[in-house]
C-alpha cells in the first residue's frame, strides 16, 4: 500500500577519517544497516533499519560511529506530536495493531522520584553498615499473626513454606523463548550465587536448568506451556500469572517463528506454531476458582512450595489483593504499568494500568486494615530501577521487589525497544543462534551478581543512614518517607507526609 515516507528516526554518523572499512559493524548488525559499497570502496548505511541498539558503536574498533536521534521533525504541535503522527501513518499502511516492547515510555509520573528517604541526625544515630550488623535477608510466605505454644509450653516454630532471599530482590518472569537460552542461564546462575530467585516466565523450564531449581520460581500462566508435575516440583515456588503490568487484561503471543528447537520442546508445543496465552485462565472466573488452582498446585507439590499470584496493578487492586490473600496464596506479586515485556500492543502498554507505587500503598493499607497482612507477602515490580527504589518500596510495605529491565541492562540491553523483532543484537531477546552466542553466560551472570551486590551495599548504606538495621524494621515504615510535588490525594494514597511536615 502507498507509504508516506517518514524520515528515519536515527542517523548513523560515520567519521570517514577514522573508518578503516573493517566491516565489523556490518557483521554485528542483525538489522542490515551497514554495508560496504564495492563501487565507492566505503561503508554506507541504510538508516531506515536502524533501531539505535548501539551494538556497532560499542564494537567499532576506531570509534568511527555514533548514532544520533534525527532532528528532522514532522510539523508537530502540542496535540499532534511526532510519534502520534508516525503511528497513524504506520497503521494506515498496515491495518495492524501496533506492537512494542519494554515498558511504558510516556511522561507519566514516576512516584519513586517524588518520594524522598529520611536520615538520622542527632537523637537516633545512624548505623555504620561496615562495622555493625545489618540484615538484608527476607523470608517470603505466610506468617502467623501471633505466636502459639504447644502442650509442652514451647513456642511452635513451624511455618508454612517460605522463600529465603539474601536481599529483597528477585529476577522477575522472562520466558525462555522471549529471551535466549544464554540470558536464562545468566539469570539462573546469578540467582543461585546471590541466594535469590529468578523466574521461568510462562515458557516452561529447559531441562538444563532443573539444577537451579532451589533458586527458581516456576510460572503457571493461562497457556500452561511446559507445565507438568516435574516442572512444578522443580522450583522453590510456583507463580500463577493472572496479569502483567505491561499488558493488563490481555494474553500473550510468541510468534511461531520463535518456537524452534528447544523452545518448542520446553513449551511442549509444535515447532512453528504460535504460542498464544489466552487473556483469562479458562478455569478462573472468581476468587473461589483461583483458590482451586492454588490448592491444586499445592496438592501436586505436597504443600511444600509457596504459591505466588501475580497480578497487574489496576484500578481496584486493593480489593483484588484482599481476595487473593484469602485464596490460600502465600505471596502476591503486583506488576505496575511501567513493567517491561518482550512484546505488547502499544496502546495497551501505554494506557492501561496504574503506577505500582500507588497500588502497593493501597494494597498494604487494605490488608493491614482487614487484619490479613500476615496472610501474604507482597512483591512489587514494574520498573524498579535502583537500590533506592527497593528501599522506598519496602518502606511503602513491600516484602521484596521483582526486577527485570535492570537485569537485562546488566546483560547488555541498550533499551532499543525492539525485542518483538527477534533480532536482538545483544543476544538477549532472540533465538537466532548467531546472536544468542554473543551473550556469554559466564560474563552475564558475573555482571548480574555485581549489580545485585552493589544494590545490597547501597540498601545497607541507606538503611544505616536511617538508623535501621534490618529490612524487617524498614517494611511498611512510611514515617521514613516524604513526598515532594505531590497533591493531597496522592499523599493520602501513598500514606506519607509532604517534605517539611
Ligand atoms: S566498525 Fe567502525 S571502522 Fe569498522 S567499518 Fe564499521 S564504522 Fe568503519
Ligand atoms: S533486549 Fe535486546 S532487543 Fe530488547 S530492548 Fe534490549 S537490546 Fe533491544
Amino acid at each position: 500500500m502507498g507509504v508516506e515516507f517518514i524520515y528515519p528516526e536515527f542517523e548513523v554518523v560515520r567519521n570517514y577519517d577514522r573508518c578503516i572499512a573493517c566491516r565489523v559493524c556490518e557483521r554485528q548488525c542483525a538489522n542490515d544497516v551497514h554495508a560496504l559499497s564495492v563501487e565507492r570502496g566505503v561503508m554506507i548505511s541504510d538508516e531506515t533499519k536502524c533501531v539505535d541498539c548501539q551494538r556497532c558503536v560499542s564494537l567499532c574498533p576506531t570509534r568511527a560511529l555514533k548514532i544520533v536521534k534525527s532532528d528532522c521533525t514532522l510539523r508537530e504541535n502540542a496535540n499532534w506530536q511526532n510519534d502520534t503522527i508516525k503511528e497513524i501513518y504506520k497503521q494506515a499502511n498496515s491495518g495492524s495493531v501496533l506492537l512494542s516492547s519494554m515498558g511504558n515510555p510516556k511522561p507519566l509520573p514516576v512516584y519513586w522520584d517524588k518520594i524522598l528517604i529520611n536520615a538520622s541526625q542527632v537523637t537516633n544515630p545512624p548505623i555504620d553498615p561496615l562495622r555493625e550488623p545489618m540484615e538484608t535477608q527476607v523470608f517470603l510466605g505466610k506468617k502467623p499473626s501471633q505466636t502459639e505454644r504447644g502442650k509442652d509450653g514451647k513456642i511452635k516454630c513451624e511455618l508454612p513454606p517460605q522463600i529465603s532471599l539474601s536481599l529483597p530482590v528477585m529476577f522477575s518472569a522472562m520466558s525462555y523463548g522471549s529471551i535466549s537460552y544464554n540470558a536464562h542461564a545468566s539469570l539462573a546462575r546469578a540467582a543461585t550465587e546471590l541466594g535469590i530467585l529468578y523466574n521461568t516466565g510462562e515458557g516452561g523450564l529447559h531441562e538444563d536448568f532443573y539444577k537451579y531449581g532451589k533458586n527458581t520460581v516456576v510460572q503457571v500462566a493461562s497457556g500452561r506451556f511446559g507445565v507438568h508435575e516435574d516442572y512444578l516440583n522443580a522450583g522453590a515456588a510456583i507463580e500463577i500469572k493472572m496479569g502483567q503490568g505491561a499488558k493488563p487484561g490481555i494474553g500473550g503471543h510468541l510468534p511461531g517463528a520463535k518456537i524452534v528447537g528447544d523452545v518448542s520442546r520446553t513449551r511442549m508445543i509444535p515447532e512453528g506454531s504460535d504460542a498464544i496465552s489466552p487473556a483469562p485462565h479458562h478455569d478462573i472466573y472468581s476468587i473461589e476458582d483461583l483458590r482451586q488452582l492454588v490448592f491444586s498446585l499445592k496438592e501436586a507439590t505436597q504443600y511444600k512450595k509457596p504459591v505466588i499470584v501475580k497480578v497487574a496493578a489496576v484500578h481496584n487492586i486493593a480489593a483484588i489483593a484482599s481476595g487473593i490473600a484469602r485464596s490460600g496464596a502465600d505471596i502476591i506479586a503486583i506488576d505496575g504499568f511501567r513493567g517491561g515485556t518482550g512484546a505488547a500492543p502499544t496502546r495497551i502498554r501505554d494506557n492501561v494500568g496504574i503506577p505500582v507505587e500507588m497500588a502497593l500503598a493501597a494494597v498494604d493499607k487494605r490488608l493491614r486494615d482487614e487484619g490479613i497482612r500476615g496472610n501474604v507477602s507482597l512483591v512489587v515490580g514494574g520498573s524498579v530501577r535502583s537500590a533506592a527504589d527497593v528501599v522506598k518500596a519496602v518502606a511503602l510495605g513491600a516484602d521484596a521487589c521483582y526486577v527485570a529491565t535492570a537485569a537485562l541492562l546488566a546483560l547488555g540491553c541498550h533499551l532499543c525497544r525492539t525485542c518483538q523483532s527477534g533480532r536482538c543484537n545483544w543476544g538477549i531477546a532472540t533465538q537466532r543462534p548467531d546472536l544468542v552466542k554473543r551473550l556469554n553466560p559466564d560474563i552475564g551472570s558475573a555482571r548480574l551478581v555485581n549489580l545485585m551486590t552493589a544494590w545490597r551495599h547501597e540498601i545497607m548504606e541507606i538503611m544505616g543512614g536511617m538508623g535501621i538495621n534490618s529490612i524487617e524494621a524498614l517494611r511498611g515504615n512510611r514515617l521514613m518517607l516524604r513526598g515532594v510535588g505531590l497533591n493531597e490525594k496522592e499523599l493520602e494514597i501513598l500514606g506519607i507526609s509532604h517534605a517539611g511536615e
Side-chain angles (χ1 to χ4, degrees), residues 14-15 18-26 34 43 56 59-65:
R14 194 183 312 269
N15 181 334
R18 289 188 172 189
C19 178
I20 52 173
C22 66
R23 303 178 80 173
V24 165
C25 50
E26 185 182 1
H34 308 276
M43 298 298 296
C56 58
L59 294 186
C60 170
T62 61
R63 291 269 176 268
L65 284 172

Side-chain angles (χ1 to χ4, degrees), residues 22 47 188 257 302 332 424:
C22 66
E47 292 162 325
Q302 300 84 49
I332 302 176
C424 175

Side-chain angles (χ1 to χ4, degrees), residues 51 53 101-102 179 408 412-421 423-429:
V51 298
C53 76
S101 52
M102 304 315 273
I179 61 170
L408 295 189
C413 165
H414 278 58
L415 271 184
C416 69
R417 316 175 80 85
T418 54
C419 313
Q420 74 279 5
S421 73
R423 291 189 298 271
C424 175
N425 273 319
W426 294 93
I428 300 167

Side-chain angles (χ1 to χ4, degrees), residues 97-381:
V97 167
L98 294 170
L99 276 185
S100 347
S101 52
M102 304 315 273
N104 185 331
K106 298 282 179 192
L108 291 155
V110 179
Y111 285 99
W112 300 131
D113 294 338
K114 292 169 183 273
I115 297 174
L116 297 173
I117 299 167
N118 193 31
S120 303
Q121 292 302 296
V122 180
T123 52
N124 177 24
I127 297 168
D128 182 348
L130 293 176
R131 293 176 181 77
E132 295 173 70
M134 180 73 66
E135 188 55 81
T136 59
Q137 188 176 24
V138 293
F139 294 91
L140 306 184
K142 285 184 197 303
K143 307 287 186 306
S145 52
Q146 58 192 44
T147 49
E148 279 183 47
R149 290 182 185 275
K151 284 185 185 150
D152 55 2
K154 288 190 180 153
I155 290 177
K156 288 186 184 169
C157 295
E158 259 185 45
L159 286 175
Q162 305 280 316
I163 299 171
S164 160
L165 304 174
S166 64
L167 75 160
V169 175
M170 296 190 282
F171 298 131
S172 61
M174 290 176 271
S175 70
Y176 175 46
S178 74
I179 61 170
S180 66
Y181 177 97
N182 285 357
H184 251 239
S186 304
L187 290 162
R189 284 197 216 170
T192 304
E193 197 171 323
L194 288 159
I196 62 171
L197 271 65
Y198 83 110
N199 189 315
T200 60
E202 62 175 315
L205 183 62
H206 190 287
E207 59 198 5
D208 294 353
F209 301 145
Y210 273 69
K211 59 180 180 253
Y212 303 112
K214 284 190 186 129
N215 296 86
T216 307
V217 176
V218 292
Q219 197 179 67
V220 175
S222 59
R224 304 286 199 268
F225 300 122
V227 175
H228 50 82
E229 197 180 344
D230 290 347
Y231 168 77
L232 295 175
N233 278 295
I238 303 166
E239 179 171 271
I240 301 170
K241 177 191 168 190
M242 298 300 304
Q244 182 179 344
K247 40 184 172 180
I250 66 165
H253 180 190
L254 193 65
K258 284 188 168 180
I259 309 296
V260 290
D262 280 359
V263 174
S264 129
R265 267 195 300 285
T266 305
R267 291 196 177 224
M268 304 193 309
I269 53 173
E271 287 213 17
S273 60
D274 286 9
I276 295 175
S277 327
H281 286 247
H282 285 308
D283 51 355
I284 301 180
Y285 291 92
S286 65
I287 290 294
E288 289 73 22
D289 292 343
L290 174 65
R291 188 177 171 81
Q292 291 266 358
L293 181 58
V294 168
F295 280 95
S296 300
L297 295 172
K298 287 187 182 228
E299 189 77 34
T301 52
Q302 300 84 49
Y303 291 84
K304 286 184 183 156
K305 323 263 178 192
V307 172
I308 307 169
V309 174
K310 177 179 174 180
V311 282
V314 289
H315 298 182
N316 53 344
I317 186 68
I320 293 166
S322 169
I324 297 171
R326 296 164 204 276
S327 73
D330 302 85
I331 299 163
I332 302 176
I334 308 169
D335 198 19
F337 81 134
R338 285 188 193 281
T341 174
T346 309
R347 295 287 164 260
I348 301 277
R349 185 197 65 179
D350 296 355
N351 295 282
V352 182
I354 64 168
V356 75
E357 303 90 323
M358 294 287 183
L360 165 61
V363 167
D364 180 61
K365 180 174 185 309
R366 171 85 175 237
L367 299 186
R368 280 190 286 113
D369 288 351
E370 294 182 354
I372 53 171
R373 180 64 183 83
N375 279 17
V376 284
S377 292
L378 292 179
V379 180
V380 295

